[in-house]
Every structure is written in C-alpha cells, then in structure tokens.
Amino acid sequence: MPLTAGSKGLNAVHDTINLVFADSLIESGHTTYVEVEGFYGPYPGNLPGNTSGSDRRLDAVGVNTASGDKRSFDVCRTNNATPTRLTGPGDILSASKEAENNKRAKYDKPGDSPPNVTFHPCSVGTQNELGPQARKVVAMLAHLTAKRDCTDGFEPSQAQVDRRRHSLHARIGIANMRGQALIMLALIAGTPEAALAVADRHTHTAVNKLLRTLPRCCCAAPNPGCCVCGGSARSQRTGRMP
C-alpha cells in the first residue's frame, strides 16, 4: 500500500506533521527547536569506541519560557487500516500504540534519557486518528495555548481549551492529508509529482550506489579525522556518513 510503504513521500508527510506540532509548541509558550541532535550519547553498554546511539535525533524540543519545563517530541505517521489490522482481532489503534511504545523504548530508557526532560511520542494515523500519547500532547498544548489567551492568573474555560484542541487536531489532519495526496499523485503517470518522484529516486539511487562502494569504517570513528582503520568513518549501525 502506497501510504504504508517506506518512501521519500512518507518522510515529507512526517516532516509536515512535525512542523504543526512545532508551531503549536511555540504558540503554547515554548522556545522551540526542531531536528535536535546532541541530547543523547552512545547507547548504554556499548563497547569502548562504539558511538552508536549518539546520532539519535529528536523531531522537536521545547523549553517553556515561563516554567523552565523541557519537553522532547518524536512524531511518526502510522497506518491502523492495513488489511491485517482491519480483519484481525485487537485494538483499532494498535499500530499507533505500537509506534509510540517503540519511540519510548528508543528515546526514554531509564539511565539513558536526558535529565529533567519529558519525552512525548506522537503517532498520527492515515485517517488523522491520534495515538494515546499524541492525544495527551494535543490536549496539553491546547490547554497551555488557551491559558495564554487569558489574563494572567486566570484559567481558561473548557470551551476555550476545546476550541484550541479542535483547531490543532484539524491542522494536523490537513497537513497529513495534503502530504498523503502528494504520495498518491506521484503514482499517476504524467503528473508533475510523478516526475519529481522519479527524479528523486534516481538521485537517491545514485547516492546509495556510491555509498555501497565506499570502504566501511571498522572503528566507528565519529568523523574521518578520528578514523584509525583507513575506512571512511561511516557509522557501523546505519552505513551513513555522520
């Protein structure tokens, strides 16, 4: 299914949704940063010299300028409507829950996650359904944003919070559907989206072919200047240049 298979298009959907969450963070009073590296070091238990894990990148980090609270976010787009999930037993949001649990296992391990930072995994489905954690995040951001609409010291009414929550959910849904529409258009011959998809695939295929011909770094050096094995200082875990 085109909305499930991995592709550059799905990355674009993810990035668009992530920008909506990042914008909402700003509106709720957070100083916001996107695509943040450097929060994590190597995975606990790595052998000496193995830096895998230090390349983990968070989709967004927000620092509340009033309270000092720090929150990190990682967004994912999931499909709860695959044939297997629709016909089999289980929760209708099973894919979203699984994705959010996987994000937490990657970014929120005891002894590994940054101190004094609350991590929020956010899953958005192909039909704009939100995972359990994403729903909590939307509710939290809606309350914080509604509170900023009020005079200092006053709490927003439930109606004010609901308006903000419905607005944010709608913005997430619009971004999601627009991105998915581009994926579908790329499958129709003769459209500009299809031409761009072919051009993009050619570029990425050429780059991947080049990477496969490069020597692999065996010492897991973080950059070429630190390499002691004569390789290209590529990550052992991903095979990419750091």
Side-chain angles (χ1 to χ4, degrees), residues 39-226:
F39 259 47
Y40 297 90
Y43 289 116
N46 279 3
L47 293 175
N50 185 346
T51 61
S52 61
S54 57
D55 57 348
R56 283 174 286 178
R57 183 173 59 218
L58 292 159
D59 285 332
V61 174
V63 180
N64 191 302
T65 53
S67 66
D69 292 338
K70 294 185 285 292
R71 304 181 185 277
S72 60
F73 294 77
D74 210 72
V75 175
C76 57
R77 216 296 313 274
T78 54
N79 190 354
N80 293 289
T82 61
T84 302
R85 294 187 185 277
L86 288 176
T87 57
D91 193 335
I92 192 172
L93 292 177
S94 58
S96 293
K97 291 180 178 179
E98 180 180 339
E100 290 180 345
N101 289 337
N102 288 340
K103 290 289 185 183
R104 192 169 293 284
K106 180 179 180 180
Y107 292 104
D108 201 30
K109 298 177 181 177
D112 179 34
S113 56
N116 303 318
V117 178
T118 303
F119 175 69
H120 301 283
C122 301
S123 172
V124 179
T126 54
Q127 301 173 79
N128 297 338
E129 67 274 24
L130 300 176
Q133 298 303 314
R135 287 200 301 272
K136 292 180 180 179
V137 167
V138 168
M140 174 195 68
L141 293 175
H143 181 270
L144 291 175
T145 306
K147 188 170 183 177
R148 297 190 81 201
D149 296 334
C150 299
T151 304
D152 288 346
F154 288 85
E155 284 292 320
S157 67
Q158 188 59 50
Q160 289 175 299
V161 175
D162 287 343
R163 281 196 295 271
R164 285 293 187 177
R165 179 167 52 83
H166 291 316
S167 174
L168 177 53
H169 195 182
R171 287 160 56 192
I172 293 169
I174 291 170
N176 188 24
M177 288 300 175
R178 283 178 173 170
Q180 291 178 164
L182 292 177
I183 294 176
M184 301 306 294
L185 286 170
L187 300 176
I188 302 175
T191 63
E193 289 77 14
L196 291 173
V198 171
D200 186 66
R201 182 164 61 249
H202 173 77
T203 301
H204 282 269
T205 300
V207 171
N208 288 334
K209 183 177 180 180
L210 173 64
L211 288 177
R212 286 196 297 270
T213 64
L214 292 174
R216 181 177 291 276
C217 179
C218 298
C219 61
N223 56 64
C226 298

Side-chain angles (χ1 to χ4, degrees), residues 26-41:
I26 296 172
E27 294 163 5
S28 66
H30 291 79
T31 300
T32 303
Y33 310 85
V34 296
E35 301 294 332
V36 179
E37 293 185 350
F39 259 47
Y40 297 90

